[in-house]
C-alpha cells in the first residue's frame, strides 16, 4: 500500500488512513472515495492535526495560495464528521 505524509504532523501513513484534500478550480474539496483530479494534500485523522491545520495555515503553504478563514472552518467541520 502506498504511503503518504500528513502535511501537518509530517508523519507517514498508509493512504487509507489519511484524508485527501484537493484544490481544484479555486475550490477546496475533501475527497470521499472516488479520486478527484487536482492538486492534493493529505491530513491524518488525528483531531490535533485538524486543529493545527488552521493554526499552521498548512493548506496555504501546500497549495501556494491564500485560503480564507471561512474555507478552513468549512473544511474543519467536514473533517470532524
Amino acid at each position: 500500500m502506498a504511503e503518504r505524509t500528513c502535511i501537518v504532523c509530517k508523519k507517514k501513513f498508509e493512504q487509507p488512513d489519511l484524508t485527501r484534500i484537493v484544490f481544484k478550480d479555486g475550490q477546496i474539496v475533501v475527497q470521499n472515495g472516488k479520486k478527484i483530479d487536482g492538486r492534493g494534500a493529505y491530513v491524518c485523522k488525528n483531531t490535533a492535526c485538524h486543529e493545527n491545520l488552521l493554526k499552521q495555515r498548512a493548506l496555504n503553504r501546500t497549495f501556494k495560495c491564500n485560503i480564507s478563514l471561512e474555507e478552513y472552518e468549512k473544511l474543519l467541520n467536514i473533517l470532524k464528521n
Side-chain angles (χ1 to χ4, degrees), residues 1-4 11-19 42:
M1 185 68 56
E3 282 192 339
R4 300 287 184 256
K11 293 181 183 173
K12 290 189 181 275
F13 296 90
E14 289 191 4
Q15 204 166 349
D17 297 330
L18 296 162
T19 302
Y42 292 88

Side-chain angles (χ1 to χ4, degrees), residues 4-13 18 44 46 49:
R4 300 287 184 256
T5 303
C6 173
I7 63 169
V8 180
C9 67
K10 308 294 187 213
K11 293 181 183 173
K12 290 189 181 275
F13 296 90
L18 296 162
C44 68
N46 184 344
C49 281

Side-chain angles (χ1 to χ4, degrees), residues 57-68:
R57 298 279 185 169
L59 293 176
N60 291 13
R61 183 177 62 246
T62 301
F63 296 138
K64 297 178 181 150
C65 67
N66 189 19
I67 297 169
S68 69

Side-chain angles (χ1 to χ4, degrees), residues 15 20 22 31-38 42:
Q15 204 166 349
R20 184 168 185 251
V22 180
Q31 179 176 309
N32 292 325
K34 188 176 179 187
K35 181 157 174 25
I36 300 173
D37 292 336
Y42 292 88

